[in-house]
Amino acid sequence: MAPQQTSQSDVTLNLALAVIESSTAPLLLLKADLTVVSVSRSFCRAFEIEPAYVLNRALSKLGAGEWNLPPLISLLKATASGYAEVEAYEIKLSRAGQKDRQLIVNAQRLDYASIDDVRLLVSVSDVTEARIAEKMKDDMLKEKAVLLQELHHRVANSLQIIASVLMQSARKVQSEETRSHLHDAHKRVMSIAALQQQLAASSSTDVELKPYFTTLCDSIGASMIRDHNKVSLSVAVDDSVTTADISVSLGLVVTELVINALKHAFPNERSGKIQVNYRSHGPNWALSVTDNGVGMHPSSVNAKPGLGTSIVQALSSQLHALVSVSDEGPGTTVAIAHTQIAAVHSDASGHAI
């Protein structure tokens, strides 16, 4: 009976060794002293080692000695003793006349009935190309960041030049109407410059809307509100975060609505308040700008939309949002709302069907 059990054990062992030898993944079967018991042909091919010079040799003696890596040797011995584990351990394999290779090593202790028969199954994967690709990606991202910063710098300079030209032109023209249009254009350019500066300061592709709107409105207020004791501009925004592209459109909408309120809501040095509100829930969001000024003039209902109104409508259409205007008595609220239903049931102009 005993000889049959021994024979069965030999068959099982030979089968295990055959599996390791034929594995497509580089594998090593080591004794507790890190002597090689079996090796896969793929390991020998990958690391240019003759199979005849592998078996019964110490791991540190393989090849030209490139596997004699003290940290790895210590970890493997500790794993054989049951004191450590080798999982996704990265090493650099250096060999004279060849490029360095980055390898990931995993080792597992195989327990037998006898503690004197400890084996380690070691797998090795080459991640050299992956690491090169990662480095190239990192280098490209760094280069992109530098180019983007340079672009922001040039855009900021260009906006400042445009604003300066508009102000110089406004001082020279004789027509009050033309001067008013130039002043409006100057204010829009300066607001867009503030918006661009805020986005340039953002280090990620996502933008937190609360500080974004706050900075934007502070800039608008600083350039357009003469007496902050009479007219105030406040922001009430939740913790919403959106993409940079959407934040640009939202910022332009806020700029136009706030400028419009400052121009028309408080004539003749009238006091008042303007508040920018934004709330979101999942994919749905609502933006509104409310003032407590003189309200809507009856004649404005059928009036031809001005430049600011046309900009808001166009941007709202891009955002798949609907625009509504309501008389608050006193004051006016312009709301832009995006809902999943509105996004499906709206035409190209942003109006509900």
Side-chain angles (χ1 to χ4, degrees):
M1 198 60 147
Q4 186 176 358
Q5 291 177 345
T6 303
S7 176
Q8 185 65 35
S9 176
D10 290 342
V11 170
T12 302
L13 177 59
N14 290 335
L15 179 60
L17 295 178
V19 169
I20 292 173
E21 184 179 348
S22 61
S23 171
T24 56
L27 294 178
L28 288 167
L29 184 64
L30 306 177
K31 293 181 180 179
D33 62 358
L34 306 189
T35 300
V36 179
V37 177
S38 180
V39 62
S40 66
R41 289 189 291 270
S42 58
F43 180 92
C44 296
R45 286 195 302 270
F47 302 106
E48 300 177 357
I49 300 175
E50 288 293 333
Y53 295 98
V54 175
L55 296 182
N56 299 317
R57 292 175 66 89
L59 176 65
S60 60
K61 302 295 184 180
L62 296 185
E66 63 268 20
W67 288 91
N68 186 20
L69 304 171
L72 176 63
I73 299 297
S74 298
L75 268 177
L76 291 174
K77 287 184 177 180
T79 301
S81 301
Y83 296 121
E85 291 184 358
V86 179
E87 183 175 351
Y89 181 67
E90 187 162 346
I91 63 172
K92 181 171 73 172
L93 191 72
S94 299
R95 190 173 181 181
Q98 296 186 7
K99 293 182 179 180
D100 292 345
R101 300 170 71 174
Q102 294 297 129
L103 308 177
I104 297 292
V105 178
N106 290 277
Q108 183 178 357
R109 171 180 162 139
L110 307 177
D111 291 321
Y112 290 82
S114 171
I115 60 173
D116 297 327
D117 212 17
V118 172
R119 296 289 186 267
L120 287 180
L121 182 63
V122 180
S123 65
V124 182
S125 56
D126 193 331
V127 294
T128 305
E129 296 301 324
R131 294 295 179 262
I132 292 174
E134 288 176 4
K135 186 179 184 304
M136 289 178 62
K137 180 181 177 182
D138 290 340
D139 291 342
M140 289 178 63
L141 288 174
K142 290 177 182 177
E143 182 180 359
K144 179 181 176 182
V146 172
L147 292 174
L148 185 60
Q149 191 65 32
E150 176 64 19
L151 176 62
H152 283 311
H153 179 68
R154 294 193 178 194
V155 169
N157 286 345
S158 298
L159 290 172
Q160 291 292 337
I161 291 172
I162 294 170
S164 177
V165 170
L166 288 171
M167 283 301 293
Q168 290 177 10
S169 300
R171 295 190 187 101
K172 294 178 181 178
V173 298
Q174 302 298 320
S175 169
E176 284 297 327
E177 182 180 0
T178 302
R179 184 179 295 108
S180 176
H181 290 319
L182 289 172
H183 277 298
D184 286 346
H186 174 265
K187 291 169 184 175
R188 285 190 171 92
V189 170
M190 292 306 295
S191 296
I192 293 173
L195 183 151
Q196 185 268 343
Q197 184 179 14
Q198 175 70 6
L199 289 177
S202 177
S203 59
S204 66
T205 56
D206 292 332
V207 177
E208 296 180 19
L209 291 181
K210 187 173 183 178
Y212 174 62
F213 283 155
T214 300
T215 302
L216 179 60
C217 289
D218 286 346
S219 176
I220 297 173
S223 62
M224 293 193 65
I225 299 176
R226 296 180 180 178
D227 189 346
H228 290 268
N229 293 321
K230 286 188 174 182
V231 178
S232 65
L233 174 58
S234 61
V235 174
V237 181
D238 59 14
D239 295 328
S240 296
V241 176
T242 190
T243 63
D245 288 343
I246 292 178
S247 71
V248 171
S249 296
L250 291 173
L252 291 172
V253 169
V254 169
T255 298
E256 291 301 327
L257 293 179
V258 171
I259 288 177
N260 189 65
L262 289 171
K263 285 176 59 179
H264 302 294
F266 312 113
N268 304 319
E269 303 296 324
R270 180 188 177 106
S271 299
K273 298 178 180 179
I274 301 173
Q275 185 171 61
V276 177
N277 294 277
Y278 184 93
R279 295 288 183 272
S280 67
H281 181 71
N284 302 328
W285 54 262
L287 168 68
S288 67
V289 175
T290 302
D291 66 72
N292 62 349
V294 296
M296 299 171 59
H297 195 277
S299 62
S300 65
V301 176
N302 298 317
K304 183 180 179 180
L307 176 60
T309 302
S310 299
I311 292 174
V312 171
Q313 289 177 344
L315 291 170
S316 299
S317 178
Q318 289 181 2
L319 295 168
H320 303 289
L322 301 179
V323 182
S324 62
V325 183
S326 57
D327 195 338
E328 299 298 326
T332 306
T333 293
V334 181
I336 296 91
H338 173 277
T339 65
Q340 289 180 324
I341 296 176
V344 174
H345 302 286
S346 63
D347 61 17
S349 65
H351 295 93
I353 298 175

